[in-house]
Amino acid sequence: MNEENSKRLHCEITGTVQGVGFRPFCHGLAQRFNLSGWILNHGSGVSLEIQGNTIDQFLQALKAELPPLARIEQMEQQTVPTQINERSFIIRKSRQSAITAAIPPDSSVCSECLKELFDPASRFSRYPFLNCTRCGPRYTITHSLPYDRNNTAMSTFELCPECEAEYNDPTNRRFHAQPTACPACGPQLSMPVDEIVQRLRQGQILAVKGLGGFHLLCDACNHEAVETLRKRKNREAKPFAVIAANLSSLKQFVIIDDDDDATQALLESPQRPIVLAPKKTNSGLSSLVAPELNCLGVVLPYTPLHYLIFNSAMGNPSGTDWLQKSGDFALVMTSANPGGEPLVIDNLEAKQRLRSIADVIVDHNRIIVTRCDDSVMKITNKIPRFIRRARSYVPQAIKLPYEIPSTLAVGGHLKNTVCVTRGDEAYLSQHIGDLKNRATFNFFEETIQHLLDTLGVKPEIVAHDSHPDFFSSRFAQRFGSPTLAVQHHHAHLAAVAAEHHITQPSIGLALDGFGMGENNQSWGGELMLIDNEHYQRIGHLTPLKQPGADRAAREPWRMAAAVYERLGRSQEITVRFKQTGVKQLQQMLDKGFNCPETSSAGRLFDAAAGLLNVQSISDYEGQAAMKLESLVTQTEIMENGWQIRNGQLDLLPVLERLINCDPVRGANLFHGTLIAALSDWLKQASIQHNISTLLLAGGCFHNQVLSSALLQDLTRQGLTVRLSEQAPSNDGGLSLGQAWVAGMSLKRKWTKGSA
Ligand SMILES: [Zn+2]
Ligand SMILES: [Zn+2]
């Protein structure tokens, strides 16, 4: 080392730098550039000191070659006096203060591990549980912090001498890789991979233990197998996802353009979410995989076992060349959550509860500590967006505009998630589900406890939906901290404001199925002025009657009948609809009995679907709207198809037009006119209030046709438009917005109190 030009630099690094191979990476770089010094993990990040005359090259390489899971958020540098007699670079023993550290999310197999997996000479050859600091399970196997082997599901597996040597070798990729394991010392699968594939080929349904829970797998091209799975799962129409070996295999089933970098990058990212893509027709896939929808959820292998399954299906070739070859083996992969209860994670529970669905259960002896479904995403105008945020993204924090008091937000009733804030970070939980059964509610309580414990947070305020009868709202009332009820659509819009750091006044459009408004009204098509913790309703969709109240949400034909009534044509209802109870329904509408009004956009879509005979009765939430969207070929605008009066947007003219339309033409007209109408409405509001920042939120913005066109149109007008990206647009993102509103209210109160 040339000590004359030697400099010494001290760096404080924050971000995702622990449990991701950052220290061995720095160690390797220091050796490459002949630098001395040390590195140290501590409670809030990493401290690094380097000395020598190639520090600039080191820093360049540090940024350019960062391990796949590492992310540097901040790096403070300071020149310090050089130290004589320092000859090497060492990794110092960690100072652990668990409270500000976080558990990293799970990650798919890295390229180095993949090579070992299919290298006959490697001691990890064909071992379904290999991993390293750059990949593998994290969140789903961790009981508590600090993130240390003893606090994970790996604590019961004692490292063999070879694994231990790698674990303690600072130059090794497995240095302090907490979940590291090999065939000699790690978990074991209950069935040989070749047998798994053989059974799948025979058309059997397998329950296979994955990263965050059991999946049900079957051959996606075997119609009979998929049909059997639907029957046994009682899941008549809800779409399934499909997994295949690689992109070129997936391209047989979905359209992914060669220049569609966003979709390809997302599918191949270390997070490996399920991504929605346009479905190909006549691809050989069973029509029951995603019935009557034009989109299909697809995913690439993310555990070593997934890779082994596809490798076996190709005849067990060694090496990694096969990974580029297209194969026709594709599997349905769906969560094993019988009866709408949470994902099954326990071996014994699987034997009891999945026996009636699966022909055979494949498990292993590593326990799943934290249940986590697959994440589901789609791309809108090149922006990846969440439909369900779970595996591989949780528990990564979402940065808030600034610090707020610690908050717990308990979400809504459907697609529940919870959120805990600490400082300027929001920790949104994984997808919990619909809080309609005891098991899901238990999962909800467990998740809250786990988040509060691992983050070391005692909430100053608990936020909940303004619907007092939601189980989540009742839980909040019992919790024992001060509470704040947050209006549903305000929360939706606040979630978008929070993640995009919008703190100035903005105009928000929330479109969804149902949320309780003021005076117990049913809302769902709301135009609001949003100013942080305050909102003002400045407009809404013209309400429609919901004959039979809640039942109308499951039966689109009822909403269609309500349109007839609004048109003064209720005498036609019994002629047009043949459902049982149609006569009583007409009377209900005429007398206004059991017909609460709603401004819901979800019900507007239902009405359109009902009028076009696309769907009379829904099997699952959102089905009518999804089928309607699937029919769109080219949107068409009906002139004078809407009216705006006193802030109210009325789409009655286009609804009337649908009565005599064929489904495709109708879907084109409805979408085109709705988009033009919303755009018109928003532009008027923007001018009137002199605000150019617009927020779009709510489950309806998962409609790709709607969100994509509206975003384009408004942006072209020079407006700033923001949609949710880091949290789902639907109720899965509600808790983030609730937390932001509650945290801000309390912060404001405290500031006033001290003034
Ligand atoms: Zn790896
Ligand atoms: Zn071992």
Side-chain angles (χ1 to χ4, degrees):
M1 221 169 274
N2 179 353
E3 298 202 348
E4 280 175 25
N5 299 322
S6 208
K7 270 199 300 198
R8 189 175 184 87
L9 197 66
H10 179 97
C11 309
E12 283 300 324
I13 306 170
T14 57
T16 312
V17 286
Q18 294 187 10
V20 292
F22 189 71
R23 288 173 303 164
F25 164 68
C26 287
H27 187 274
L29 285 186
Q31 286 193 319
R32 194 205 305 175
F33 294 109
N34 201 19
L35 297 170
S36 66
W38 51 263
I39 187 165
L40 165 78
N41 265 1
H42 55 77
S44 48
V46 163
S47 299
L48 168 76
E49 270 189 24
I50 34 173
Q51 177 171 317
N53 46 28
T54 49
I55 286 178
D56 290 344
Q57 288 97 310
F58 175 95
L59 292 176
Q60 254 169 24
L62 182 80
K63 282 176 189 141
E65 300 168 26
L66 211 57
L69 300 182
R71 202 166 44 93
I72 294 180
E73 214 159 75
Q74 223 171 21
M75 181 151 137
E76 282 172 23
Q77 302 175 14
Q78 194 188 353
T79 309
V80 291
T82 52
Q83 292 190 8
I84 31 175
N85 298 329
E86 189 184 66
R87 284 289 171 266
S88 60
F89 186 90
I90 56 162
I91 295 176
R92 286 195 180 167
K93 207 169 154 48
S94 305
R95 266 191 279 125
Q96 275 293 3
S97 51
I99 288 312
T100 53
I103 305 173
D106 303 279
S107 173
S108 69
V109 197
C110 73
S111 55
E112 297 299 308
C113 284
L114 260 186
K115 273 184 216 153
E116 290 169 332
L117 188 61
F118 297 106
D119 175 4
S122 165
R123 66 190 190 92
F124 296 99
S125 172
R126 303 198 172 270
Y127 179 57
F129 301 94
L130 93 164
N131 64 78
C132 73
T133 49
R134 299 177 179 183
C135 72
R138 300 283 189 279
Y139 184 59
T140 52
I141 58 160
T142 306
H143 292 283
S144 59
L145 283 168
Y147 172 63
D148 219 354
R149 192 173 174 95
N150 283 334
N151 290 331
T152 71
M154 294 306 294
S155 62
T156 51
F157 299 94
E158 204 181 322
L159 289 170
C160 71
E162 275 177 287
C163 283
E164 187 160 18
E166 289 191 346
Y167 182 89
N168 289 317
D169 175 3
T171 63
N172 194 286
R173 212 173 80 245
R174 294 197 170 83
F175 176 65
H176 286 194
Q178 307 304 345
T180 191
C182 79
C185 66
Q188 300 295 334
L189 199 65
S190 67
M191 185 183 284
V193 175
D194 286 340
E195 188 184 337
I196 294 176
V197 173
Q198 202 181 3
R199 286 173 178 268
L200 288 166
R201 290 242 196 245
Q202 286 164 0
Q204 293 194 9
I205 293 160
L206 273 66
V208 179
K209 193 176 188 178
L211 213 48
F214 278 83
H215 281 117
L216 294 165
L217 299 181
C218 76
D219 183 346
C221 297
N222 183 331
H223 192 70
E224 229 173 280
V226 182
E227 194 174 22
T228 309
L229 175 59
R230 284 220 174 268
K231 264 195 214 129
R232 293 192 194 160
K233 224 193 156 191
N234 277 331
R235 183 164 169 156
E236 278 175 11
K238 237 174 164 177
F240 292 137
V242 167
I243 183 169
N246 47 36
L247 265 180
S248 60
S249 304
L250 282 182
K251 283 180 182 176
Q252 296 169 69
F253 310 111
V254 289
I255 301 164
I256 303 169
D257 295 332
D258 289 336
D259 62 350
D260 183 358
D261 299 335
T263 303
Q264 302 195 16
L266 192 58
L267 277 166
E268 292 188 314
S269 69
Q271 287 79 19
R272 295 285 154 102
I274 294 171
V275 180
L276 294 193
K279 193 167 77 176
K280 279 190 180 166
T281 44
N282 303 322
S283 64
L285 208 66
S286 160
S287 59
L288 290 174
V289 172
E292 297 178 274
L293 299 178
N294 63 355
C295 269
L296 178 68
V298 290
V299 62
L300 290 175
Y302 57 85
T303 66
L305 178 59
H306 295 157
Y307 279 103
L308 288 167
I309 287 174
F310 288 104
N311 180 263
S312 165
M314 287 196 195
N316 289 315
S318 290
T320 49
D321 287 351
W322 68 275
L323 288 169
Q324 308 306 321
K325 289 195 186 121
S326 183
D328 57 4
F329 194 58
L331 301 170
V332 160
M333 185 163 88
T334 182
S335 304
N337 56 344
E341 294 198 348
L343 201 53
V344 173
I345 56 173
D346 179 72
N347 290 0
L348 199 66
E349 191 192 356
K351 287 198 175 75
Q352 290 160 353
R353 299 189 52 219
L354 301 177
R355 209 167 37 190
S356 57
I357 303 177
D359 295 300
V360 66
I361 290 165
V362 184
D363 60 25
H364 56 71
N365 55 345
R366 183 178 74 200
I367 60 163
I368 296 172
V369 174
T370 308
R371 177 184 290 113
C372 215
D373 279 274
D374 289 314
S375 295
V376 184
M377 300 183 81
K378 68 158 67 176
I379 304 221
T380 304
N381 302 1
K382 302 203 167 171
I383 306 166
R385 298 172 59 217
F386 285 102
I387 294 170
R388 184 166 76 195
R389 186 178 183 271
R391 175 186 51 75
S392 292
Y393 293 94
V394 174
Q396 220 169 65
I398 296 170
K399 244 321 178 242
L400 297 171
Y402 41 76
E403 270 190 39
I404 53 171
S406 293
T407 306
L408 164 67
V410 297
H413 183 64
L414 300 176
K415 300 182 177 71
N416 182 278
T417 64
V418 299
C419 182
V420 172
T421 70
R422 185 177 69 186
D424 64 352
E425 291 183 322
Y427 292 86
L428 188 62
S429 78
Q430 68 270 45
H431 168 81
I432 293 171
D434 300 349
L435 297 182
K436 57 188 180 192
N437 53 55
R438 187 71 230 175
T440 310
F441 192 75
N442 289 344
F443 179 30
F444 163 86
E445 289 186 313
E446 273 166 34
T447 306
I448 289 173
Q449 205 52 54
H450 188 245
L451 264 176
L452 292 175
D453 287 350
T454 51
L455 293 168
V457 163
K458 196 185 169 303
E460 306 277 359
I461 188 163
V462 180
H464 60 87
D465 192 90
S466 52
H467 197 308
D469 297 331
F470 282 176
F471 289 134
S472 53
S473 302
R474 291 192 197 153
F475 171 89
Q477 294 299 337
R478 289 195 306 268
F479 190 81
S481 297
T483 57
L484 183 77
V486 182
Q487 199 281 323
H488 193 91
H489 305 96
H490 181 203
H492 269 310
L493 295 164
V496 183
E499 71 153 295
H500 289 288
H501 295 193
I502 293 167
T503 51
Q504 76 277 23
S506 54
I507 287 170
L509 173 65
L511 302 179
D512 72 353
F514 166 75
M516 185 179 269
E518 288 157 13
N519 307 317
N520 291 340
Q521 286 172 334
S522 164
W523 288 4
E526 312 305 313
L527 197 60
M528 290 179 166
L529 212 57
I530 299 291
D531 185 4
N532 295 300
E533 74 272 32
H534 303 292
Y535 81 91
Q536 188 195 335
R537 190 192 198 206
I538 55 173
H540 56 88
L541 295 178
T542 302
L544 274 173
K545 285 181 182 167
Q546 290 188 94
D550 285 350
R551 243 183 114 174
R554 296 187 298 273
E555 302 185 9
W557 74 275
R558 289 172 177 261
M559 294 310 300
V563 172
Y564 274 86
E565 194 269 342
R566 252 204 85 198
L567 288 165
R569 294 166 62 174
S570 66
Q571 71 286 354
E572 293 173 45
I573 291 174
T574 49
V575 185
R576 169 69 173 68
F577 301 99
K578 295 292 165 223
Q579 275 74 13
T580 37
V582 64
K583 222 182 165 75
Q584 292 90 315
L585 184 116
Q586 187 199 328
Q587 287 167 356
M588 254 197 271
L589 280 165
D590 284 341
K591 293 181 183 150
F593 165 72
N594 196 17
C595 286
E597 292 201 321
T598 182
S599 52
S600 161
R603 296 299 78 77
L604 183 73
F605 272 91
D606 285 350
L611 289 170
L612 292 166
N613 288 325
V614 168
Q615 190 78 16
S616 296
I617 294 179
S618 294
D619 294 328
Y620 57 90
E621 204 220 342
Q623 185 188 20
M626 281 161 76
K627 278 176 71 174
L628 195 62
E629 182 192 354
S630 290
L631 291 172
V632 175
T633 49
Q634 173 99 54
T635 58
E636 199 183 319
I637 302 170
M638 174 182 159
E639 229 166 292
N640 306 317
W642 70 93
Q643 284 181 326
I644 299 171
R645 260 169 305 175
N646 307 324
Q648 275 193 42
L649 174 61
D650 193 348
L651 286 136
L652 195 63
V654 70
L655 290 175
E656 181 170 24
R657 180 77 180 277
L658 300 185
I659 290 174
N660 297 312
C661 258
D662 69 86
V664 173
R665 175 86 201 281
N668 288 339
L669 263 176
F670 178 72
H671 279 85
T673 308
L674 177 65
I675 292 159
L678 293 172
S679 181
D680 185 16
W681 199 26
L682 282 163
K683 273 177 259 172
Q684 288 189 21
S686 160
I687 293 165
Q688 195 187 339
H689 296 273
N690 195 23
I691 290 174
S692 62
T693 305
L694 306 180
L695 314 175
L696 308 177
C700 295
F701 285 102
H702 287 310
N703 182 314
Q704 191 79 349
V705 176
L706 170 69
S707 43
S708 163
L710 198 57
L711 193 65
Q712 242 169 33
D713 193 34
L714 294 167
T715 310
R716 241 197 327 254
Q717 310 283 331
L719 298 163
T720 306
V721 191
R722 294 286 175 260
L723 272 158
S724 53
E725 292 170 26
Q726 298 187 64
S729 245
N730 58 33
D731 284 5
L734 213 54
S735 59
L736 172 64
Q738 292 173 345
W740 179 235
V741 170
M744 296 260 294
S745 315
L746 193 59
K747 188 183 175 109
R748 200 84 68 185
K749 215 188 233 169
W750 285 358
T751 324
K752 272 187 196 152
S754 64

